[in-house]
Amino acid sequence: MTVRQGTPAVSTELISPYGGELKSLLIAPDAVEEARVRASKLPSLPLTERAVCDLEMLASGAFSPLDRFVGREDYHAILESLRLARGLPFPIPILLHVDEATPVGLDVEYSLHDARNELLAILRVEEIFDFDRSEFCTRLIGRDDPRHPLIAESHRWGSRCVTGRLEVLRLPGHFDFRESRLTPGQTRASLAAIGLPNVVAFQTRNPLHRGHEELCRRAAEMVDGTLLLHPVVGMTKPGDVDHYTRVRTYRVMISRYPHPERALLALLPLAMRLAGPREAVWHALIRRNFGANHLIVGRDHASPGLDSHGVPFFEPYAAQELAQEFSAEIGVRPLPFEELVYLPGEDRYEEVSRVPPEADRWAISGTQVRQDYLERGRRLPSWFTRPEVAEILHESYPPRHRQGVCIWFTGLSGAGKSTTAEAVTVMLQEHGRQVTLLDGDVVRTHLSHGLGFSKEDRDVNIRRIGFVASEIVRHGGVAICAAISPYRAVRNDVRGMVGGDRFVEIYVDTPLDVCESRDPKGMYAKARRGELPSFTGVNDPYEPPLHPEMVLETMTRTPEENARQILEYLRGQGFIRSDLEPGTQDAPAGGGFVAKASHP
């Protein structure tokens, strides 16, 4: 079986692929059936959602010059110098993880399947190496902070990595936006047909507004080129606007673009790392494979937001600076733009640094869009976004009091988690919320029956609860979870599944001796006698939250008092609708503009 070794660059004036050619890993169509039969007899390696995204990018040539997941030498070179071992810039390692329990051997073939057990590829393992999670996080992100979504996720990755020759039978299947799911080769062909050598790529994790439209128009005119609208539709930050909504807003922009013959919408099935400056360089070389030689790099490009101490993970313009540093080698010029503000007196947008201090200016931040408009059911103004886009956003994002939220109680056995959780459940139902209570003991009986109490089994149990909670929240419900959940890493992983702005961690801080005195099941006594070898607080550690949203004490406060305190917090966050007179509307948002004069 032979894999196509690479397709020559399309004969156009577009910039050549990164490294000279697109590395297609798809086997010839007439060889697929034979490979399928061979794969049916091979041991299987299941792929995570991230690995499926990476495989699709590798197979289509989007990660050229890579033709496989990276090996040990390239991995360490990337972490150390943002380059492959051969010296070519490539700042993000593309890894395939396996855990200790999965048997893998050198020179052995494995079939690769997605979560639906669909066969995608065959891998011949040529290298196995250890993965140091802490080193990876510290080198890639700058610190091992579990509030970073990728770092939280990394705690469930395997401790080994494998690589080797890949034979890809087919790309993962997608049923949405099929006409815009273009491979690098298809994208380059479409761009070449437009006939302009310069191509400006643009992406944002936010829905498009008029400021984005103006920015894209200016960038394309600046280089007299084609605009490639290239939104990421793989994995982004939990809690980000879903890609269905974002792509619908991109479609509106394309239909209203002043030069539609010089614009192309194509989707990128990338799993983002949110690695800030490194990621900006990575995005640039990826866009070169799709035919772009310019990339719009905005403030805080690929940033995950704030760390555990409320400090940004990266400096706001660090991504622009690093992209510029590598631009000559990569061949993609970053086009840095400042924030655009609206000038009401002139009915136009302008970069904030070019606006006189005394001039009226209007602007709405992404946070204000969510908090002051969408979450309050207020219509976005037409100067900020097109009416069609506003309608899409209001369809997709109901007011805050109809959005989902996860309330996660953690603490020692006997701390009072379940009792308080039951009180909160009833009170929320009284306020009209749909609530699901996931109690640790009940989940153990029905969802996690058969799991033991080793650290590994406990982590699996908590992640199962987290997965169910994330689905409840995604569909607008309230998930109340009461589980000991003793380990910080897995709790932060669950926060990442749910989305940080919809996860309320409540630490029920009851001292161990008080918990023991309440011990109705005699569990602490059994643990003291050595009958329970892994009991939290006695012979297994409990790691209290470092930065929970709330801390409760249960010695002087009743469960009802604590429950009412939680409800007040939820009301303050907007998850419970404020009491209004019948027939009135939600209270209007105050302010919402950074300006000399606010919008009327």
Side-chain angles (χ1 to χ4, degrees):
M1 179 70 62
T2 58
V3 177
R4 296 173 183 172
Q5 294 302 310
T7 55
V10 179
S11 179
T12 70
E13 295 185 60
L14 297 177
I15 190 172
S16 63
Y18 189 54
E21 61 178 4
L22 293 177
K23 297 285 188 178
S24 173
L25 307 184
L26 288 162
I27 62 176
D30 59 4
V32 170
E33 185 56 33
E34 185 273 332
R36 188 179 302 278
V37 171
R38 179 159 54 94
S40 67
K41 303 172 185 177
L42 299 176
S44 175
L45 288 179
L47 298 177
T48 64
E49 180 185 3
R50 183 173 297 280
V52 170
C53 290
D54 288 346
L55 180 66
E56 181 171 2
M57 295 287 285
L58 282 167
S60 67
F63 283 162
S64 296
L66 297 185
D67 63 357
R68 63 189 61 203
F69 294 95
V70 300
R72 179 191 292 106
E73 188 178 7
D74 279 331
Y75 170 62
H76 289 293
I78 290 170
L79 291 185
E80 181 68 30
S81 64
L82 286 76
R83 298 173 183 273
L84 299 172
R86 73 188 95 162
L88 197 64
F90 203 100
I92 303 291
I94 313 302
L95 301 169
L96 181 57
H97 295 268
V98 294
D99 57 40
E100 286 295 335
T102 302
V104 289
L106 291 173
D107 203 33
V108 178
E109 288 189 328
Y110 296 87
S111 58
L112 304 182
H113 295 78
D114 65 14
R116 297 187 299 273
N117 203 34
E118 294 287 340
L119 173 65
L120 298 178
I122 296 173
L123 166 70
R124 178 175 289 278
V125 174
E126 298 172 3
E127 188 178 356
I128 306 169
F129 60 98
D130 292 333
F131 171 72
D132 185 325
R133 193 202 62 79
S134 181
E135 177 194 30
F136 169 86
C137 296
T138 303
R139 291 291 191 90
L140 192 74
I141 305 302
R143 52 195 178 279
D144 190 357
D145 188 318
R147 284 296 174 92
H148 191 290
L150 187 74
I151 293 175
E153 178 192 321
S154 70
H155 285 273
R156 55 186 141 109
W157 296 349
S159 58
R160 296 174 297 163
C161 295
V162 298
T163 187
R165 179 169 170 265
L166 285 165
E167 300 172 76
V168 181
L169 283 68
R170 67 177 184 86
L171 298 178
H174 302 286
F175 299 108
D176 58 327
F177 307 117
R178 296 290 293 271
E179 71 282 2
S180 297
R181 286 190 175 272
L182 305 179
T183 65
Q186 292 167 335
T187 304
R188 295 177 72 86
S190 297
L191 292 171
I194 295 174
L196 298 173
N198 288 328
V199 176
V200 177
F202 174 75
Q203 74 169 66
T204 176
R205 284 157 42 210
N206 295 312
L208 288 173
H209 54 69
R210 287 184 183 269
H212 293 135
E213 293 185 31
E214 178 66 14
L215 186 154
C216 289
R217 183 190 65 78
R218 291 187 184 192
E221 289 181 356
M222 181 187 301
V223 301
D224 188 25
T226 304
L227 173 64
L228 172 61
L229 287 173
H230 213 206
V232 172
V233 296
M235 296 177 68
T236 59
K237 180 183 175 184
D240 277 354
V241 176
D242 64 83
H243 80 265
Y244 304 103
T245 300
R246 286 186 288 111
V247 173
R248 290 171 68 195
T249 68
Y250 273 70
R251 282 176 155 182
V252 171
M253 177 176 170
I254 282 286
S255 68
R256 299 292 187 269
Y257 192 65
H259 305 289
E261 74 283 357
R262 297 174 62 157
L264 177 67
L265 173 62
L267 310 187
L268 184 68
L270 178 71
M272 292 185 67
R273 272 60 174 180
L274 301 171
R278 280 179 179 257
E279 188 133 350
V281 177
W282 191 44
H283 286 176
L285 68 86
I286 289 170
R287 270 32 184 258
R288 174 169 174 173
N289 286 323
F290 283 85
N293 58 345
H294 297 80
L295 173 66
I296 297 173
V297 181
R299 186 178 185 273
D300 284 330
H301 188 93
S303 170
L306 305 179
D307 65 14
S308 296
H309 302 284
V311 177
F313 276 93
F314 307 108
E315 293 297 322
Y317 297 104
Q320 294 181 353
E321 293 167 1
L322 194 65
Q324 183 62 49
E325 180 182 330
F326 279 89
S327 63
E329 286 187 88
I330 292 175
V332 177
R333 176 188 170 197
L335 299 178
F337 278 86
E338 297 180 353
E339 177 191 6
L340 294 180
V341 295
Y342 180 70
L343 306 181
E346 304 176 42
D347 189 26
R348 68 182 182 89
Y349 277 88
E350 186 54 85
E351 289 187 68
V352 66
S353 64
R354 299 188 178 189
V355 178
E358 68 278 4
D360 289 346
R361 69 190 82 173
W362 295 349
I364 304 177
S365 70
T367 299
Q368 290 170 323
V369 167
R370 294 191 305 274
Q371 295 180 355
D372 293 347
Y373 287 88
L374 299 179
E375 292 177 359
R376 298 188 180 209
R378 296 180 64 197
R379 186 68 57 177
L380 287 161
S382 59
W383 64 264
F384 176 75
T385 193
R386 293 185 181 276
E388 305 97 313
V389 172
E391 184 63 29
I392 290 170
L393 294 178
H394 283 282
E395 287 176 358
S396 300
Y397 286 86
R400 183 79 158 177
H401 64 269
R402 297 210 315 266
Q403 293 180 13
V405 61
C406 174
I407 304 167
W408 190 279
F409 291 89
T410 179
L412 294 170
S413 177
K417 301 182 298 298
S418 296
T419 307
T420 307
E422 289 170 2
V424 173
T425 297
V426 172
M427 292 179 182
L428 282 173
Q429 289 172 328
E430 180 184 353
H431 282 77
R433 295 303 315 247
Q434 299 297 312
V435 186
T436 300
L437 175 59
L438 299 170
D439 183 80
D441 290 338
V442 177
V443 169
R444 276 276 179 181
T445 300
H446 297 286
L447 184 62
S448 295
H449 181 71
L451 288 179
F453 290 89
S454 66
K455 184 181 186 306
E456 292 73 20
D457 281 0
R458 289 182 178 194
D459 286 352
V460 169
N461 179 52
I462 296 305
R463 288 193 177 103
R464 287 180 182 177
I465 298 174
F467 172 76
V468 174
S470 69
E471 288 298 296
I472 293 169
V473 170
R474 188 165 67 89
H475 292 284
V478 179
I480 298 182
C481 308
I484 295 172
S485 47
Y487 309 120
R488 289 190 198 105
V490 73
R491 290 196 304 264
N492 280 293
D493 192 12
V494 171
R495 180 187 290 271
M497 292 183 197
V498 174
D501 64 334
R502 299 188 185 186
F503 187 83
V504 180
E505 186 176 36
I506 299 176
Y507 175 33
V508 185
D509 185 12
T510 306
L512 177 61
D513 60 337
V514 175
C515 293
E516 286 201 61
S517 69
R518 296 173 177 175
D519 192 14
K521 302 176 184 178
M523 304 296 284
Y524 281 99
K526 291 181 180 180
R528 295 295 183 190
R529 294 195 299 267
E531 297 172 18
L532 298 176
S534 298
F535 192 78
T536 301
V538 177
N539 41 32
D540 201 67
Y542 176 80
E543 300 171 357
L546 298 178
H547 304 283
E549 278 69 23
M550 295 185 70
V551 178
L552 301 181
E553 68 91 3
T554 62
M555 293 178 292
T556 63
R557 294 177 61 87
T558 68
E560 181 178 353
E561 289 172 332
N562 280 329
R564 294 199 180 283
Q565 181 182 347
I566 293 168
L567 256 67
E568 285 306 308
Y569 176 85
L570 295 175
R571 182 176 284 109
Q573 295 296 310
F575 289 114
I576 300 175
R577 186 169 184 162
S578 299
D579 292 331
L580 300 171
E581 293 298 323
T584 63
Q585 300 297 316
D586 286 347
F593 303 95
V594 179
K596 296 293 288 185
S598 62
H599 182 256

